[in-house]
Amino acid sequence: MKVLDFPLAKITIWFIIGITISYFWQPAIMSAMTLLIASISLFCILYFLPKKNKNLNALFGLSTCFISLCTGLTALLINTDSFQKTNYIHYNEAFEKPHYINLILREKLKSNDYNDRYIAIIKHIDNKAYSGRIIVNFSKDSIKNQLIIGNLIRLKTILQHNSPLKNPNQFDYNKYLSNKQIYGQIYVSKDEISINRKIKKDIWFYTSRLNARIVRNLEKAKFHKAEMNVALALILGQQQEISSDIIQDYQYSGATHVLSVSGLHVGFIMLFILFILKPIPNTQKGSLIKLIAILISLFLFAIISGLSPPVLRSVVMFSFLALGNHLHRNSNTYHTLLVSILLILLFEPYYLFDVGFQLSYIALFSILWLQPLLKQIWAPENKILNYIWEALTVSFAAQIGTFPLCLYYFHQFPGLFFITNILIIPVLSFIMVVGIIVMIISVFTNCPLFLIQIFEKSIYILNQIIHYIAAFKVFVITDISFNLYFLFSFYFLVITATIYLKKPSYNKLIAVFISVILVQISFIFTKKETQSQQEFIVYNAKKKTIITEKKGKDVALFTNDNIAKNSSLNSYLVGNFGILKSVSKTKNVMFFNDKKILLIDSTCIYKNTIEPDILILIQSPKINLDRVLKNLHPKIIIADASNAYLIQKRWKASCLKKNIPFHSTSEKGFYKLN
């Protein structure tokens, strides 16, 4: 089937291109609206002109694509909260001194060692109407009464911007939160909180209450904590309490997708509902009853799971699949998926930059497109062998489709993923069926003990299988350097190779050869780019000093610590195709690209005759910075995270008086000199 022959495929592609351009370019809303109005006007003119002229038909097609692109441009801008004047990000004073803030708790996040964390919606600042999502960090043990979703809270505090990227090539948490329309955080203790007796009873409140009731009934049944946390992740998508050891096991075994409610889980639910409704005949009336039952069940599941974005995406996707099935359009599954993508991105365009969204749809498209091709390789007559082969082909199809994206984001590959999927799918199928029954009963009352025990034991078996496979760490390939050039060239190779294998032809073979050449070019270009790279970086490492000098692929490490590697350094090496060549103690004087660098540590030893371009301060040296600046005349001061906060504050004030740039890695993140 030629997916690109669908008009909707072209519309969706141009719509996605429009969102991408808007995300990186960020044009003014008025400019985007002007373009959209112009594109609609052009479309209408061409639509009413005679269709006999082929050139006009081509222009009409182009105008449709142009409308899609402009709609994508505008959709992202309209759905960007920071562009709204009422968003708290524009109230600069709230980030400088304490203000009274009224907010509503919306969603519980994973807690850390110090804080219970929630997403809240700001309603007022100093009795003026403001809006926007923000993360609120409540000090642990500072609140006697447990907070619930829907609590109206008043507090007096300073808003804080999200922390910038602290070290190169690490996960950019600031960007991640911005894509979720969260631009700041609040840190509060019990003295700053006033909880209103009234509760905002909206759909978020009721979904939270349902979740809490399920957890309470499971706890009453003495459900083992570790298994219950996995159960809540599998059925409800609540991963907040899962231990890091269990998460690591699922990562190493290639089963991370199991812990995130996605198309796999919602697909199981849909199959289970269809199985229950099997006695209903496939007449027009019976088909309509099945469709309504599926849509209601999926909607109720979304509510019970807390209306989390991954669940909503999957529910929308499978709702369209159910609708397509009802309309007898099984052959147009691609079309149905494209409609769901278009609808989701129209209302939530930032989902396009969510890793879960990308992996979900790519995996599903890959299964639909590649699995039939892989299945043709062998057709076993034995039912058990046929089941194993089908499970393998589905797993391989999904893995082939998501392989480049996983390498790009996670830089690792679980070599035993196919064994994991063969072993866990029967157990997971059983868990999903029993789990849905347990959760539904737990919404209303205590679940029968025998069902709880069956459910708990099945999850224990699943965890043991995962743990056993994850123990073979030799099959987990980590620290794979993979950049954007590789991502696009590898996807082009996968697409052209699949098109050729489905229906071989000379032109398609040429396309495969071109894609192979592009992969080779991406390797050559990356190698050339790496060899020409020269960087000097001061890292942000708490109570440590880490400095690297990169020339080509060779990286020299200077540190006052005994470690040869840490997570920050490792991320940098993997992200930049670097090799650690040497490790040595920090030096007082260094040179990089004609720049003289002086480093002053706790010994406070330095020569007054040196006039450095860059002065780096580490380990809280007891110096009079005003005198140092007068004697040395540096052009910029760098203070890493090994320095005390109060000392850095004084240094910053001294630099401000002298009008010398001051870069604190604790505040601004790493410092890079090219």
Side-chain angles (χ1 to χ4, degrees):
M1 182 181 294
K2 295 181 180 179
V3 182
L4 293 177
D5 285 347
F6 298 143
L8 190 61
K10 295 170 185 175
I11 290 170
T12 305
I13 289 169
W14 281 102
F15 180 73
I16 289 172
I17 291 170
I19 291 174
T20 308
I21 291 171
S22 185
Y23 181 79
F24 291 104
W25 178 35
Q26 291 190 347
I29 293 178
M30 286 305 297
S31 301
M33 291 294 291
T34 304
L35 280 173
L36 181 61
I37 292 168
S39 66
I40 293 171
S41 303
L42 178 64
F43 176 84
C44 292
I45 292 168
L46 292 171
Y47 180 80
F48 289 107
L49 288 175
K51 303 296 187 295
K52 294 179 182 179
N53 191 324
K54 290 183 179 180
N55 292 329
L56 286 177
N57 286 339
L59 282 174
F60 178 74
L62 288 173
S63 70
T64 307
C65 295
F66 188 47
I67 279 185
S68 303
L69 186 141
C70 294
T71 306
L73 275 172
T74 311
L76 185 117
L77 296 173
I78 290 172
N79 286 280
T80 302
D81 291 349
S82 61
F83 292 149
Q84 297 178 15
K85 291 181 180 179
T86 57
N87 191 274
Y88 65 86
I89 197 72
H90 301 296
Y91 191 22
N92 294 326
E93 288 184 10
F95 292 90
E96 296 168 359
K97 57 184 180 180
H99 288 265
Y100 284 102
I101 299 167
N102 291 55
L103 49 81
I104 302 171
L105 297 187
R106 173 56 57 83
E107 182 184 343
K108 178 80 168 68
L109 298 175
K110 188 178 180 70
S111 301
N112 56 32
D113 294 337
Y114 308 103
N115 301 300
D116 292 320
R117 303 170 69 242
Y118 291 81
I119 292 177
I121 308 295
I122 286 182
K123 304 304 289 183
H124 296 91
I125 300 178
D126 291 337
N127 298 321
K128 293 180 182 178
Y130 278 91
S131 63
R133 291 155 57 88
I134 196 165
I135 291 179
V136 187
N137 299 270
F138 297 101
S139 298
K140 280 194 172 180
D141 303 322
S142 68
I143 301 169
K144 293 179 181 178
N145 299 322
Q146 188 178 5
L147 295 169
I148 61 173
I149 303 304
N151 272 142
L152 300 169
I153 293 176
R154 183 176 173 84
L155 47 89
K156 187 177 183 181
T157 189
I158 301 174
L159 301 185
Q160 295 187 23
H161 291 287
N162 295 325
S163 298
L165 185 64
K166 294 294 186 181
N167 285 304
N169 301 101
Q170 284 193 325
F171 175 64
D172 193 342
Y173 191 55
N174 180 27
K175 187 177 179 182
Y176 169 79
L177 290 179
S178 296
N179 287 343
K180 293 184 176 293
Q181 313 295 303
I182 299 171
Y183 307 109
Q185 299 200 36
I186 293 173
Y187 291 85
V188 288
S189 60
K190 63 180 179 181
D191 328 345
E192 301 163 315
I193 298 170
S194 173
I195 304 174
N196 198 316
R197 290 184 180 180
K198 292 182 180 180
I199 295 173
K200 178 74 173 177
K201 294 186 177 180
D202 52 14
I203 190 168
W204 309 102
F205 168 78
Y206 290 110
T207 57
S208 173
R209 291 294 85 200
L210 282 174
N211 267 273
R213 184 181 295 179
I214 290 169
V215 172
R216 192 165 54 249
N217 286 332
L218 291 178
E219 287 174 343
K220 283 181 184 177
K222 308 294 183 185
F223 205 117
H224 192 269
K225 191 70 175 175
E227 278 72 39
M228 186 177 75
N229 291 335
V230 174
L232 294 173
L234 289 172
I235 311 298
L236 302 179
Q238 307 295 326
Q239 300 183 38
Q240 290 92 332
E241 304 301 328
I242 300 181
S243 71
S244 56
D245 291 337
I246 290 177
I247 290 174
Q248 188 181 75
D249 282 347
Y250 276 79
Q251 287 173 343
Y252 284 178
S253 63
T256 313
H257 59 282
V258 171
L259 293 178
S260 303
V261 172
S262 59
L264 176 68
H265 303 74
V266 179
F268 272 126
I269 292 167
M270 186 171 167
L271 289 172
F272 179 59
I273 296 165
L274 286 171
F275 175 77
I276 294 172
L277 300 175
K278 202 171 184 180
I280 299 175
N282 286 324
T283 59
Q284 187 174 358
K285 187 178 179 181
S287 180
L288 182 61
I289 292 170
K290 286 182 180 180
L291 175 66
I292 293 169
I294 288 169
L295 295 179
I296 291 172
S297 301
L298 293 180
F299 179 71
L300 289 174
F301 171 72
I303 291 175
I304 292 171
S305 64
L307 295 173
S308 63
V311 176
L312 285 174
R313 288 198 301 261
S314 300
V315 165
V316 170
M317 181 170 67
F318 277 92
S319 296
F320 274 99
L321 286 175
L323 186 62
N325 186 46
H326 170 69
L327 298 172
H328 304 290
R329 293 187 177 180
N330 294 337
S331 60
N332 251 357
T333 311
Y334 296 109
H335 215 158
T336 308
L337 287 178
L338 289 169
V339 171
S340 71
I341 290 174
L342 198 59
L343 186 66
I344 289 170
L345 293 181
L346 189 62
F347 293 99
E348 291 289 350
Y350 276 95
Y351 280 176
L352 180 62
F353 308 101
D354 184 271
V355 180
F357 179 86
Q358 295 169 11
L359 290 174
S360 292
Y361 273 101
I362 288 174
L364 194 52
F365 270 108
S366 300
I367 291 168
L368 291 171
W369 198 35
L370 288 173
Q371 198 264 347
L373 185 64
L374 296 173
K375 195 178 175 183
Q376 291 174 7
I377 297 172
W378 185 37
E381 295 180 2
N382 185 286
K383 286 186 177 181
I384 297 174
L385 285 176
N386 188 56
Y387 161 77
I388 294 172
W389 179 240
E390 282 205 7
L392 265 176
T393 53
V394 168
S395 179
F396 271 109
Q399 201 68 47
I400 290 168
T402 57
F403 176 71
L405 205 61
C406 287
L407 289 186
Y408 178 70
Y409 283 121
F410 309 117
H411 302 287
Q412 68 177 32
F413 178 71
L416 297 178
F417 71 91
F418 54 96
I419 293 176
T420 302
N421 282 284
I422 290 172
L423 293 177
I424 70 169
I425 283 177
V427 182
L428 190 61
S429 304
F430 180 77
I431 286 172
M432 291 301 297
V433 172
V434 177
I436 291 165
I437 295 169
V438 168
M439 296 298 174
I440 291 172
I441 295 172
S442 298
V443 168
F444 303 102
T445 184
N446 294 332
C447 189
L449 188 59
F450 78 94
L451 269 179
I452 293 286
Q453 290 174 341
I454 292 170
F455 189 34
E456 182 182 342
K457 194 66 180 176
S458 60
I459 292 175
Y460 174 78
I461 292 168
L462 175 68
N463 285 344
Q464 289 301 111
I465 292 170
I466 295 292
H467 180 71
Y468 180 75
I469 296 170
F472 294 94
K473 293 183 181 178
V474 68
F475 291 100
V476 182
I477 307 168
T478 58
D479 300 339
I480 303 170
S481 297
F482 203 85
N483 60 15
L484 207 59
Y485 307 135
F486 292 174
L487 179 68
F488 287 119
S489 60
F490 270 85
Y491 266 122
F492 187 55
L493 177 60
V494 170
I495 291 167
T496 53
T498 305
I499 292 171
Y500 171 75
L501 291 171
K502 277 183 171 286
K503 196 174 181 181
S505 71
Y506 177 75
N507 289 336
K508 292 174 183 176
L509 183 61
I510 294 297
V512 174
F513 286 148
I514 291 170
S515 65
V516 171
I517 292 168
L518 284 175
V519 170
Q520 293 173 330
I521 290 171
S522 69
F523 274 93
I524 294 167
F525 191 79
T526 299
K527 187 176 181 180
K528 186 178 179 183
E529 194 177 65
T530 303
Q531 287 175 343
S532 64
Q533 193 176 36
Q534 292 191 7
E535 292 179 338
F536 182 91
I537 296 177
V538 180
Y539 291 76
N540 180 67
K542 195 173 182 181
K543 297 181 180 180
K544 297 174 185 175
T545 293
I546 298 175
I547 298 171
T548 60
E549 183 180 350
K550 185 174 188 290
K551 291 185 177 179
K553 65 179 180 179
D554 297 335
V555 177
L557 170 64
F558 303 95
T559 180
N560 65 342
D561 201 63
N562 294 323
I563 58 160
K565 276 190 182 184
N566 73 348
S567 59
S568 302
L569 176 61
N570 195 54
S571 297
Y572 176 72
L573 293 174
V574 173
N576 291 276
F577 298 82
I579 298 173
L580 187 62
K581 282 294 183 179
S582 65
V583 181
S584 56
K585 291 290 183 181
T586 51
K587 299 177 181 179
N588 289 108
V589 180
M590 290 180 277
F591 294 89
F592 182 81
N593 287 355
D594 300 325
K595 298 283 185 182
K596 187 187 294 182
I597 302 166
L598 175 65
L599 186 144
I600 301 178
D601 58 18
S602 56
T603 63
C604 303
I605 299 172
Y606 66 94
K607 291 182 180 180
N608 285 332
T609 55
I610 296 174
E611 291 193 0
D613 297 289
I614 299 168
L615 174 61
I616 302 176
L617 303 173
I618 67 170
Q619 301 170 28
S620 302
K622 294 178 181 179
I623 56 172
N624 185 325
L625 189 60
D626 290 319
R627 189 183 304 139
V628 170
L629 296 177
K630 185 178 179 181
N631 294 333
L632 301 181
H633 308 291
K635 294 176 182 175
I636 185 171
I637 308 295
I638 313 297
D640 72 3
S642 67
N643 298 291
Y645 171 74
L646 290 176
I647 293 176
Q648 291 193 56
K649 197 173 179 181
R650 291 201 300 270
W651 290 343
K652 187 176 181 180
S654 296
C655 290
L656 194 62
K657 285 190 295 182
K658 298 284 185 179
N659 201 23
I660 296 174
F662 179 79
H663 185 107
S664 168
T665 62
S666 301
E667 182 183 341
K668 299 180 180 179
F670 67 97
Y671 175 79
K672 182 166 73 172
L673 179 65
N674 294 108

